[in-house]
Amino acid sequence: KNLVFLRSDGTSLYPTRDLAHHEWKFDNYDRAVTVLGEDHKLQARQLRTALKLLGNDTDPLRQVLYSYVNLPEGKMSTRRGTGVDLDDLLDEAIDRAREEVEDRLDDRIRDDDLTDDDIERIAHQVGIGAVRYDIVAKQPTKAITFEWDRALDFEAQSAPYVQYVHARCCGILAEAGFDPAEPLAAAGQRAELDLDALDADLLGTPAEQALLETIARFPAVIDEAAADLEPHQIATYTREFADRFNAFYRECPVLADDVDPAVRETRLALVAASKHTMANALSILGVAAPRSM
């Protein structure tokens, strides 16, 4: 198939701009990653071949092809009138998240009263996060079917499910007298904690050990996901992390009156480490980490 670079009137086409864009990438970066829809397989091969013919080293170029995003009733298509504008999708996600947050207000464990501004903030964080997470959590080669009920399910392995772990960590730290936005040992914290005096051997239960192992594995997960260009690996990790943290939360009281002070402080440090790990993982995925939900 012919690859056309210019129209008869001399104006440029997509291939012209793509070639210029990629040559700029090669000049400025050591890796060039192009993300395309699976219907652009031919264009991707044409682009790589043209770049080679122009004398470029295309070894640093990685082309990732994503499958279609479908609605439950079928494939989105602008020509058939079944396309969905992303702005409209996000607006509806925010509206649905707001309804979900309001419905769950009476069941909240934390006693911090949410203002209207808080509800609106959480609705944006959860709604937009749900859309982004539900798509990025899928392998590129698999077709994506976006379903509202699954994407916004606080109990299933969705964005709200993993976001709630971060909010729960913040709640525990705040109840203990710490500012969740600051490191435990930062100056000005309302509570004091001597990190050097903590004894990790006190974290001996299976739930604690599993959570520690999952936190320690995080850098390796990032390295592998980056090397393979597979961000869904990080999403998979956050779901596993949420399961591990929730098991720890159920089985290992942190602030209960009958918890030994040394164990209490060590578990608080584990909660803080969990908060940082989840916040970093969500940040990499482009998903907000709410302080309360």
Side-chain angles (χ1 to χ4, degrees):
K1 183 178 180 180
N2 290 333
L3 179 62
V4 180
F5 294 95
L6 293 174
R7 295 187 180 91
S8 58
D9 61 2
T11 56
S12 64
L13 294 159
Y14 282 120
T16 328
R17 302 159 204 167
D18 285 343
L19 289 169
H21 183 204
H22 280 76
E23 291 196 328
W24 174 83
K25 283 185 179 182
F26 293 148
D27 288 340
N28 288 277
Y29 301 96
D30 55 4
R31 296 177 73 193
V33 180
T34 303
V35 181
L36 300 166
E38 65 177 6
D39 55 331
H40 288 79
K41 287 181 181 178
L42 174 61
Q43 289 91 327
R45 293 171 58 192
Q46 289 174 326
L47 176 65
R48 181 182 290 276
T49 302
L51 286 166
K52 281 185 177 180
L53 291 171
L54 289 169
N56 295 283
D57 177 12
T58 57
D59 287 343
L61 174 60
R62 293 284 299 275
Q63 294 167 315
V64 181
L65 300 174
Y66 267 82
S67 296
Y68 287 101
V69 178
N70 300 326
L71 296 172
E73 58 270 18
K75 185 183 299 181
M76 296 185 192
S77 170
T78 52
R79 280 177 294 191
R80 291 205 307 265
T82 59
V84 177
D85 188 88
L86 181 60
D87 288 336
D88 294 336
L89 185 70
L90 293 178
D91 287 342
E92 183 168 355
I94 293 168
D95 290 341
R96 288 174 179 251
R98 186 186 300 109
E99 292 176 5
E100 184 69 24
V101 172
E102 291 173 342
D103 288 344
R104 296 168 63 90
L105 284 177
D106 293 338
D107 297 328
R108 296 180 77 248
I109 298 175
R110 291 173 63 177
D111 59 1
D112 56 331
D113 293 330
L114 296 180
T115 66
D116 290 342
D117 288 342
D118 291 329
I119 293 174
E120 197 62 28
R121 169 184 55 79
I122 295 170
H124 276 75
Q125 291 175 323
V126 172
I128 295 173
V131 174
R132 187 176 181 89
Y133 186 92
D134 196 67
I135 293 175
V136 78
K138 307 294 193 307
Q139 294 185 38
T141 56
K142 294 185 178 180
I144 299 167
T145 299
F146 184 81
E147 299 180 46
W148 286 114
D149 292 343
R150 183 183 62 196
L152 285 170
D153 191 339
F154 279 62
E155 308 301 330
Q157 293 188 324
S158 59
Y161 177 73
V162 298
Q163 286 175 310
Y164 193 70
V165 168
H166 184 269
R168 176 165 274 166
C169 290
C170 290
I172 294 171
L173 294 170
E175 187 177 347
F178 293 95
D179 181 355
E182 298 291 338
L184 289 185
Q189 282 280 27
R190 296 189 298 275
E192 293 184 4
L193 189 64
D194 185 358
L195 296 179
D196 293 332
L198 297 180
D199 183 4
D201 289 339
L202 295 175
L203 303 175
T205 69
E208 290 167 322
Q209 290 289 309
L211 183 55
L212 278 170
E213 182 273 332
T214 308
I215 292 172
R217 194 159 45 83
F218 182 53
V221 172
I222 297 300
D223 287 343
E224 186 174 352
D228 297 340
L229 299 183
E230 293 183 342
H232 71 271
Q233 293 186 30
I234 303 173
T236 300
Y237 172 84
T238 61
R239 293 194 293 270
E240 179 185 343
F241 188 95
D243 289 341
R244 295 279 175 87
F245 181 85
N246 289 334
F248 160 77
Y249 180 79
R250 289 191 304 267
E251 299 171 21
C252 305
V254 179
L255 302 178
D257 293 337
D258 59 348
V259 176
D260 179 87
V263 174
R264 174 182 180 274
E265 292 190 347
T266 309
R267 286 178 177 172
L268 274 171
L270 181 57
V271 170
S274 299
K275 182 191 82 72
H276 290 307
T277 303
M278 182 59 82
N280 287 334
L282 289 173
S283 176
I284 290 169
L285 295 173
V287 176
R291 286 187 58 173
S292 59
M293 287 177 66

